[in-house]
Amino acid sequence: MTDPVGTATRRAALKMLDAVMRRGEALDRAQHAATQGLRNPADRAHAVVLAAEVLRHLPDLDALIDSATRQRIPDDAKSRMVLRLALVQCLALGTPPHAAIATALPLVDGGPKRLVHGVFGTLMRSEPELPAPPALPDDVTARWADQWGEAMVEAARGAIAQHPPIDLTLRDASNTGRMVDALGGVSLGAGNVRLSDPGNITTLPGFDEGAWWVQDLSASLPAKLLGAGEGRTVLDLCAAPGGKTMQLAAAGWDVTGVDISAKRLERLEANLARTGLPAHLVQGDIEKWQPQAPADAVLLDAPCSATGIFRRHPDVLYRIGPRQIAELADLQARLLDRAADWVKPGGLLLYATCSLERAEGEDRIADFLARHSDFARVPVSADELCAGFTPNMEGDVRILPGPLAEQGGADGFFIARLRKLTI
């Protein structure tokens, strides 16, 4: 018997969800293997959307499923995941119930189809709705409330409820007004254009000319806080895919971008070619690599939990926990120690992570400064930031969910700017 049209797409989504929930893989990484059998790019894209929507609403989907069963279906049971997938299609994406269940039942593969069909039918007859905004996983709610308070958790729920806009960073900030008009967007600061629904970005004005690149507003701040390069040297560590490298080159820095991934450096090289911006690229593990000489500035956008980009990548809510955060914090401490040796006396060290965890931000810098008396903060001032962002009392930048919510929000980030003292 032939499966209904669309079943293969749902099967690919199921494989992605299994990779995230069982094996802790990133959704982006799981996508390639899961969609190999889908020839149509639209089907591959739809499979990713389905998986992401399940993750965006997972606690609320589970609450619905549990309300319709006498005995709780195990968390790792395929029947639960198939029900999540069928329900999210109807309740979040507007798929007719008959189409959702028709493409769901083949996914059970000889398992409890009657259970899946019965639970789905019971729920659909009750005309359920998903809560707005969605709930976050209990462990994430507790962790963030402990660090930042209940208001932050509510703001995070509001953030994940909205599909985020796309920010573009302009190669030439003086063209902001013209590019806003050409692209039909808005600007949240010099050199930024925000688009709500850009479609295929490669067809937008300025793409072929390299006038801009995609980069969230928060992610554009670290390079800006180093200022104009005026020919000075900067190391951009963990550089790929290259948004900060291109910003630094456009600001007049002599940039060396270092990254461990050859494949990601190829993407950076292509972006540099498209924008016409110069940079030296090096493939290397910065726990082993050494520069030939210290630099005037070092930008370390360190590997992190990426919990700050949860609204774009809801899989981080299920892949990342205290163990992963602790391991990454240890790595960040080691990388900061190495980067410190590569800064000239009087030069700047810029540390950044797209994380909402104190262990990867405030705690890392406090620990670093306690061990490195030859470094001191260079506090960030409010006029260096976009409207809506403010530095904290120490002069670091901590971006939490909430600011710019009416304009589409921004990714979570931590940034600290330090100077190596001339002793």
Side-chain angles (χ1 to χ4, degrees):
M1 182 176 176
T2 304
D3 288 336
V5 174
T7 301
T9 302
R10 276 71 177 175
R11 196 179 300 280
L14 188 64
K15 290 178 180 178
M16 281 183 258
L17 290 167
D18 185 70
V20 171
M21 301 298 291
R22 286 178 183 266
R23 301 195 297 274
E25 290 185 23
L27 186 59
D28 284 350
R29 181 177 299 233
Q31 173 185 347
H32 178 73
T35 59
Q36 284 297 292
L38 301 177
R39 296 182 180 181
N40 188 331
D43 290 340
R44 292 196 292 271
H46 188 52
V48 176
V49 168
L50 289 172
E53 285 302 302
V54 167
L55 296 168
R56 200 178 298 277
H57 295 280
L58 194 144
D60 298 319
L61 294 168
D62 279 351
L64 286 174
I65 294 168
D66 293 342
S67 73
T69 57
R70 292 181 181 178
Q71 184 174 356
R72 193 173 191 280
I73 300 172
D75 287 339
D76 60 352
K78 180 177 284 188
S79 54
R80 179 177 285 274
M81 192 63 81
V82 170
L83 279 166
R84 291 165 173 165
L85 195 55
L87 288 169
V88 85
Q89 293 176 70
C90 299
L91 303 181
L93 300 174
T95 303
H98 71 272
I101 193 62
T103 54
L105 291 177
L107 305 182
V108 186
D109 292 334
K113 291 186 178 181
R114 291 180 61 185
L115 171 66
V116 171
H117 196 283
V119 171
F120 182 82
T122 297
L123 288 171
M124 287 298 99
R125 286 190 293 273
S126 69
E127 299 182 355
E129 294 182 356
L130 289 172
L136 299 174
D138 289 343
D139 59 335
V140 176
T141 295
R143 189 174 75 239
W144 287 353
D146 181 62
Q147 294 180 81
W148 310 112
E150 296 292 341
M152 179 275 194
V153 173
E154 289 306 305
R157 292 182 63 197
I160 202 171
Q162 306 296 324
H163 290 274
I166 297 295
D167 284 319
L168 307 180
T169 294
L170 305 184
R171 184 181 58 201
D172 184 352
S174 68
N175 287 333
T176 302
R178 183 175 66 82
M179 292 306 299
V180 165
D181 292 340
L183 293 162
V186 298
S187 178
L188 302 182
N192 165 266
V193 178
R194 172 162 286 192
L195 306 175
S196 58
D197 187 15
N200 184 352
I201 63 168
T202 64
T203 64
L204 295 177
F207 177 83
D208 290 336
E209 298 81 7
W212 48 261
W213 52 89
V214 175
Q215 186 179 34
D216 186 77
L217 183 65
S218 297
S220 71
L221 294 178
K224 290 181 179 179
L225 293 178
L226 287 178
E230 300 174 338
R232 292 176 294 163
T233 56
V234 61
L235 299 176
D236 182 11
L237 305 180
C238 309
K244 298 174 183 66
T245 298
M246 291 184 285
Q247 281 182 281
L248 293 166
W253 289 89
D254 180 0
V255 190
T256 297
V258 185
D259 200 274
I260 195 171
S261 170
K263 186 172 183 179
R264 285 164 59 86
L265 282 173
E266 288 178 4
R267 181 179 171 189
L268 172 49
E269 190 170 20
N271 282 328
L272 289 170
R274 181 174 64 86
T275 57
L277 292 168
H280 316 285
L281 302 183
V282 177
Q283 181 187 359
D285 178 351
I286 58 175
E287 287 206 85
K288 302 174 183 176
W289 177 82
Q290 290 275 4
Q292 293 182 348
D296 295 297
V298 174
L299 194 163
L300 173 60
D301 188 351
C304 72
S305 64
T307 51
I309 60 173
F310 71 99
R311 62 193 186 130
R312 300 181 191 277
H313 300 278
D315 54 297
V316 303
L317 300 175
Y318 301 95
R319 297 187 296 102
I320 297 297
R323 178 178 61 83
Q324 291 86 355
I325 292 168
E327 290 172 353
L328 287 160
D330 287 344
L331 172 62
Q332 292 150 11
R334 297 196 303 271
L335 297 183
L336 271 167
D337 287 344
R338 290 186 65 77
D341 291 337
W342 304 341
V343 183
K344 291 180 181 179
L348 293 175
L349 172 59
L350 200 297
Y351 173 77
T353 58
C354 56
S355 167
L356 289 169
E357 316 302 328
R358 285 185 183 274
E360 299 182 273
E362 290 83 349
D363 294 353
R364 283 287 57 70
I365 292 303
D367 175 71
F368 176 82
L369 290 174
R371 293 183 292 104
H372 290 267
S373 59
D374 55 337
F375 276 85
R377 277 190 177 89
V378 181
V380 176
S381 61
D383 59 7
E384 294 181 88
L385 302 174
C386 305
F389 295 152
T390 56
N392 63 19
M393 292 181 63
E394 289 77 23
D396 301 330
V397 180
R398 165 55 76 185
I399 300 174
L400 296 172
L404 303 177
E406 294 184 359
Q407 293 83 17
D411 289 346
F413 239 82
F414 175 82
I415 309 166
R417 184 172 59 188
L418 313 173
R419 187 179 300 283
K420 191 168 192 176
L421 304 177
T422 53
I423 299 175

